[in-house]
Amino acid sequence: DKSRANAIEAINSMFFQGIMSPSWYSDIDLWFKKYGFDEQVMISLFDYCFNKSALHKNYVKTVADAWNKNNIKTDSR
């Protein structure tokens, strides 16, 4: 999916200075499938974790789980 690929590249650029570990790519793809987040929500997830200085997989997954439980799927701003 082109829009998901663009979102992943945006995450790479914004939060990893273009040097995101390859394992993040598969994790992000898995989270798109598991949680059904749209692209903006996924970027917001990384932005939230980055601003908490907690950009590591366990924390990102924990926040994603919480957002999923609260039925956050799209950016409705």
Side-chain angles (χ1 to χ4, degrees):
D1 182 293
K2 189 172 184 170
S3 58
R4 283 188 181 177
N6 289 340
I8 292 171
E9 285 308 313
I11 290 167
N12 183 21
S13 296
M14 290 189 290
F15 307 111
F16 295 93
Q17 292 73 47
I19 52 171
M20 186 166 70
S21 163
S23 64
W24 277 102
Y25 286 90
S26 55
D27 286 336
I28 295 169
D29 192 49
L30 174 72
W31 296 334
F32 268 124
K33 292 174 184 160
K34 179 177 180 181
Y35 300 116
F37 294 157
D38 74 8
E39 292 77 12
Q40 191 56 50
V41 170
M42 189 66 76
I43 292 169
S44 295
L45 172 66
F46 275 80
D47 187 55
Y48 176 86
C49 296
F50 180 81
N51 288 329
K52 296 282 186 187
S53 298
L55 199 57
H56 50 83
K57 289 180 189 176
N58 287 339
Y59 187 75
V60 175
K61 186 179 179 315
T62 299
V63 174
D65 284 334
W67 288 12
N68 185 56
K69 286 178 184 150
N70 286 300
N71 290 319
I72 297 169
K73 303 287 183 204
T74 62
D75 181 18
S76 58
R77 282 182 269 169

